[in-house]
Amino acid sequence: MTKHLSFGNLKYDIMAKFRRRTCIILSLFILFIFCLMMGLKMLRPNKAAFGDPFGLDLLPEVRQRTPHLVKNVDSQKSDKINSETNIKNLKSVEISVKPSKASEPFLEELPPLNYYLHVFYYSWYGNPQFDGKYIHWNHPILKHWDPRIAKDYPQGKHNPPDDIGSSFYPELGSYSSRDPSVIETHMKQMYSASIGVLALSWYPPDSSDENGAPTDDLVPAILDKAHKYNLKVTFHIEPYKNRDDQNMYKNVKYIIDKYGNHPAFYRYKTQTGNALPMFYVYDSYITKPEQWANLLTISGSRSIRNSPYDGLFIALLVEDKHKYDILQSGFDGIYTYFATNGFTYGSSYENWAKLKLFCDHFKLIFIPSVGPGYIDTSIRPWNTQNTRNRVNGKYYETALRAALQTHPSVISITSFNEWHEGTQIEKAVPKRTSNTVYLDYRPHKPSVYLELTRKWSEKYSKERATYVLDHQLPISNALIKV
């Protein structure tokens, strides 16, 4: 009997100890969970809206999208967006997300502008409010030259504001280039990217591209706004109708006489100490070298050399053979324009070192053109083979790295706002309509390409200073008048 009681007491003691230990462990576990929750709460951003999924707002780019959260099927659509393929006929409501302006850096905190970094700028956009109609946003879908291929693709025009001739959608919407607030915003964005010079797409007065309207009357406003942000303006002369040596002389004279005294008018200081206007000449190869030589060589019949209208004329190099045509023509340098690595000889990074050697040998200015990507299928749906995916900014940085390796005199960016070809670094936002999902810059924010430009502008400026003396290049821009 005593033995039985002792065994019962022992069993009771063991059970009591087990219960106490279990209670202690459970209490410690509850305390641990409580501390963990408090810690995570402290990490939660102050501006996070109540009801956001737990932890979602800790991801920097998801915060922008939480007002428009969708089901998992939409995340799969987003993956397709990032693969840079438009998706048609989606049965969903229109979504357009604009970022917080608080993310923009204060202008006074930015590095100085780099006047050896140029960006191609287009002022050909219009909307009903400022122009009475949409211009360029309603770009026609271009037919393939082979009728057998053309029949497989849609025809007609885009229908703004929700359906525009671009695979991306601007943060500013289908804007007008005449809107003073748009011009101001563009200059501010270029300033934030440490770009020093915008190369303005230019047609003579009363002329334009076949899808646009005359824009020369916008030049004074662009110059004024550029000057406000210490930007400079050079001219990108387009292949206007019947362009030749005779009317080129008249148009260069017109530009210099009308705009040359403006403080924002760009001049480049040469090795000889002269400060000359610079003119990019798009599709220069269309005109025969003999005609260009009339204008651009000292012995030419309409020579502009050593006159008040002399300048630096930069030819577009597309094919390798164009090098010698450019020499014969009397051009002062070459640029490559296209943001499509491998598309042309000139736009292929692997050829830039050879082109730089050629330019050095013949004392020409080499200006490689870099871009964030390329997609023009909204206006050329049959041209998918030339699409270049942005790869979340990696494509752009690869191009900039390749350009810097050649120690160029100037680097040009294609483009600030050529939306039709998807080369823009201007801010773009997510947008979905009932018919289209536009591409965007996610997972990054709309300003990502401006920020990447600023990063590489500063890097280029520092590197250029190290080799400038060896190459006898100008150390700083001379913006004085000649």
Side-chain angles (χ1 to χ4, degrees):
M1 183 69 177
T2 304
K3 185 176 180 181
H4 179 71
L5 290 173
S6 298
F7 178 79
N9 291 336
L10 178 62
K11 184 178 179 180
Y12 178 83
D13 291 338
I14 292 172
M15 291 299 293
K17 289 179 180 179
F18 178 78
R19 284 195 296 271
R20 283 197 299 272
R21 186 177 299 170
T22 301
C23 289
I24 292 171
I25 292 172
L26 184 59
S27 299
L28 290 173
F29 180 75
I30 292 171
L31 181 62
F32 171 77
I33 293 297
F34 177 78
C35 292
L36 179 63
M37 293 294 288
M38 291 299 293
L40 288 174
K41 185 177 180 181
M42 291 181 69
L43 289 174
R44 187 182 182 89
N46 291 333
K47 295 182 181 179
F50 178 78
D52 286 352
F54 178 75
L56 184 65
D57 52 331
L58 297 180
L59 301 175
E61 291 311 310
V62 177
R63 279 215 310 267
Q64 256 180 42
R65 303 196 295 273
T66 50
H68 305 282
L69 291 174
V70 289
K71 295 182 180 179
N72 190 44
V73 64
D74 278 337
S75 68
Q76 294 173 0
K77 291 172 185 172
S78 180
D79 290 339
K80 292 182 181 179
I81 295 173
N82 290 331
S83 68
E84 299 207 349
T85 304
N86 278 350
I87 306 170
K88 301 294 182 180
N89 300 321
L90 283 177
K91 295 180 180 178
S92 58
V93 296
E94 177 183 337
I95 295 178
S96 183
V97 181
K98 292 192 177 183
S100 169
K101 294 183 179 179
S103 62
E104 295 182 4
F106 292 106
L107 297 183
E108 59 268 21
E109 296 175 354
L110 297 171
L113 300 184
N114 184 346
Y115 294 100
Y116 297 109
L117 186 62
H118 301 182
V119 68
F120 296 112
Y121 181 71
Y122 295 87
S123 60
W124 57 25
Y125 300 104
N127 63 24
Q129 181 183 356
F130 286 88
D131 307 87
K133 60 181 179 179
Y134 283 107
I135 304 173
H136 263 275
W137 298 119
N138 61 344
H139 200 290
I141 299 171
L142 303 176
K143 292 183 181 180
H144 193 277
W145 52 87
D146 186 339
R148 294 170 297 178
I149 298 175
K151 66 181 178 60
D152 295 329
Y153 293 97
Q155 298 179 15
K157 280 190 169 188
H158 288 277
N159 186 26
D162 293 332
D163 172 26
I164 64 172
S166 173
S167 294
F168 295 85
Y169 202 85
E171 182 185 65
L172 297 176
S174 48
Y175 58 75
S176 169
S177 297
R178 296 183 177 277
D179 184 345
S181 68
V182 167
I183 301 174
E184 177 107 15
T185 299
H186 285 171
M187 299 305 148
K188 193 179 296 185
Q189 288 188 20
M190 288 183 221
Y191 184 98
S192 75
S194 298
I195 295 168
V197 179
L198 64 99
L200 176 64
S201 171
W202 187 84
Y203 286 85
D206 303 320
S207 64
S208 67
D209 69 287
E210 59 185 4
N211 298 301
T215 58
D216 176 65
D217 61 320
L218 277 176
V219 175
I222 292 171
L223 285 165
D224 288 345
K225 292 293 186 184
H227 181 56
K228 180 178 177 179
Y229 292 93
N230 293 323
L231 293 161
K232 304 298 174 183
V233 178
T234 191
F235 289 78
H236 191 193
I237 299 179
E238 299 284 0
Y240 55 83
K241 187 177 181 180
N242 299 322
R243 187 178 67 184
D244 60 19
D245 52 319
Q246 186 172 354
N247 54 47
M248 269 291 290
Y249 186 99
K250 292 179 180 178
N251 285 319
V252 169
K253 182 178 184 298
Y254 169 85
I255 290 171
I256 293 176
D257 283 345
K258 187 162 186 178
Y259 307 123
N261 289 324
H262 196 285
F265 188 82
Y266 178 68
R267 296 177 190 268
Y268 180 94
K269 186 177 180 181
T270 66
Q271 294 181 23
T272 59
N274 293 326
L276 297 175
M278 181 178 283
F279 299 96
Y280 291 91
V281 185
Y282 189 72
D283 279 356
S284 51
Y285 58 86
I286 294 175
T287 304
K288 292 181 178 180
E290 294 79 12
Q291 279 194 308
W292 285 125
N294 289 336
L295 179 72
L296 301 178
T297 62
I298 294 176
S299 59
S301 59
R302 295 184 183 86
S303 179
I304 210 165
R305 299 306 186 188
N306 298 323
S307 77
Y309 306 108
D310 200 356
L312 299 172
F313 295 84
I314 312 300
L316 173 61
L317 185 138
V318 177
E319 300 178 47
D320 184 30
K321 65 180 182 181
H322 289 160
K323 293 186 300 188
Y324 301 101
D325 291 341
I326 288 168
L327 276 179
Q328 183 185 347
S329 299
F331 281 99
D332 302 282
I334 65 173
Y335 75 115
T336 61
Y337 187 76
F338 299 104
T340 45
N341 182 28
F343 173 56
T344 68
Y345 180 88
S347 69
S348 300
Y349 311 156
E350 65 180 7
N351 299 323
W352 285 356
K354 289 180 284 187
L355 287 173
K356 178 60 163 58
L357 285 173
F358 177 86
C359 288
D360 286 348
H361 182 74
F362 290 101
K363 299 188 184 304
L364 299 176
I365 300 171
F366 176 59
I367 306 179
S369 302
V370 302
Y374 186 94
I375 180 167
D376 65 356
T377 52
S378 67
I379 62 169
R380 301 182 187 99
W382 36 264
N383 195 35
T384 54
Q385 71 273 14
N386 285 317
T387 295
R388 299 294 184 270
N389 195 301
R390 293 186 174 225
V391 202
N392 295 327
K394 292 179 182 178
Y395 181 88
Y396 191 33
E397 294 200 88
T398 298
L400 285 158
R401 188 175 295 108
L404 261 64
Q405 287 174 352
T406 67
H407 292 178
S409 306
V410 171
I411 294 176
S412 57
I413 299 170
T414 307
S415 63
F416 180 79
N417 63 339
E418 219 296 9
W419 289 91
H420 305 310
E421 296 182 344
T423 61
Q424 77 290 336
I425 62 171
E426 183 184 354
K427 293 181 181 181
V429 292
K431 185 177 178 66
R432 178 184 293 112
T433 71
S434 59
N435 296 315
T436 305
V437 170
Y438 288 92
L439 309 180
D440 56 67
Y441 303 159
R442 291 180 293 182
H444 302 296
K445 54 189 175 182
S447 60
V448 60
Y449 291 99
L450 301 172
E451 292 169 7
L452 286 175
T453 304
R454 181 170 71 246
K455 166 188 164 183
W456 283 89
S457 174
E458 193 170 7
K459 182 177 174 62
Y460 174 41
S461 184
K462 290 177 180 177
E463 289 191 10
R464 196 180 190 283
T466 64
Y467 64 74
V468 66
L469 295 177
D470 293 337
H471 289 72
Q472 296 182 333
L473 297 175
I475 297 176
S476 60
N477 292 281
L479 301 170
I480 58 174
K481 302 177 182 64
V482 292

